[in-house]
Amino acid sequence: MRKRLQTTLAGATISEFDGVRYLHLGTPWVQGAMRIRKPRQIELEYVQRMMAWMLWRPTDTLAAGHAVQLGLGGAAITRFTHQVLRMKTTVVELNPSVITACRLWFQLPADDARLTVLEGDAAAWVGDATNLQTADVLCVDLYDHEAAAPVLDDEQFYAGCRGVLAPGGLMTVNLFGRDASFERSAALIAGAFGATQVWQLAPTREGNTIVVAARGVEVPDRAALTARAEAIEARTGLPARKWLRLVRPYGPTPPR
């Protein structure tokens, strides 16, 4: 069921500790982070894992195409796709105070030929027919100030996400893997994309589980995936070989 949006959006607040700046929405929950002296480095582990879509792309097309983010957070993914990979990047963020905070405190650059930041509803964006098959990469991280469950998490939304992906496109979604809602959310994604086009990484220590979904992607053999991971690490410094050890095809969580 789609969660009803608040009539009043929480204002963005900032904290800093040990060289890292954090974004909050009026609560202690962290909505994003940036190491102040290394702004292009992705600080939070779960956000790093949201870049696992790179494993599913051939190395020679790694940074090709259009990257879309639903939910700005602390702009870490945006800085990465726009400034490190230098992809065309579009962001959809509902809360104007988050956009303002990221411009002021999280080195989100002004819009340019490759960057567009839209203040708007992610559900409306994926439901807009003009956006069909326009994204090659889609990163979805949609939590409100309570950070309890995704704000958008239903069959219609995930079908819309698949619809905006071009053939061969990839989506990553941040879910709480230790939460009772995870299996339901993962099943909804599998229903929209097809179970054979969905994978999941092991949860982080904090419980974030990244789900990867694809639109018509063929997965190469292990040797090719390892070569891709090595190339990703050489280019970005992200731990892509670790991701290979953590990923598995979608399926019900086995009993312990």
Side-chain angles (χ1 to χ4, degrees), residues 50-102:
M50 289 193 72
M51 300 301 100
W53 56 264
M54 292 188 288
L55 290 170
W56 280 259
R57 301 199 88 187
T59 299
D60 59 353
T61 63
L62 177 64
H66 181 202
V68 176
Q69 286 110 54
L70 304 182
L72 178 59
I77 295 175
T78 307
R79 291 191 302 272
F80 184 83
T81 58
H82 177 254
Q83 298 175 340
V84 178
L85 296 181
R86 300 191 64 77
M87 298 177 72
K88 177 184 177 182
T89 299
T90 298
V91 185
V92 184
E93 171 56 53
L94 184 65
N95 192 330
S97 75
V98 171
I99 298 173
T100 298
C102 285

Side-chain angles (χ1 to χ4, degrees), residues 175-179 203-209:
L175 299 173
F176 283 134
R178 298 186 185 127
D179 189 278
T204 64
R205 289 185 301 274
E206 296 77 18
N208 299 82
T209 296

Side-chain angles (χ1 to χ4, degrees), residues 83-152:
Q83 298 175 340
V84 178
L85 296 181
R86 300 191 64 77
M87 298 177 72
K88 177 184 177 182
T89 299
T90 298
V91 185
V92 184
E93 171 56 53
L94 184 65
N95 192 330
S97 75
V98 171
I99 298 173
T100 298
C102 285
R103 299 279 196 209
L104 292 174
W105 299 104
F106 290 89
Q107 296 200 22
L108 175 65
D111 286 6
D112 60 23
R114 288 187 295 105
L115 176 63
T116 302
V117 178
L118 302 172
E119 181 187 329
D121 181 0
W125 193 89
V126 302
D128 185 340
T130 62
N131 295 322
L132 287 173
Q133 298 192 25
T134 59
D136 299 286
V137 175
L138 182 67
C139 296
V140 182
D141 191 9
L142 295 169
Y143 287 81
D144 62 14
H145 67 292
E146 297 172 347
V151 174
L152 297 172

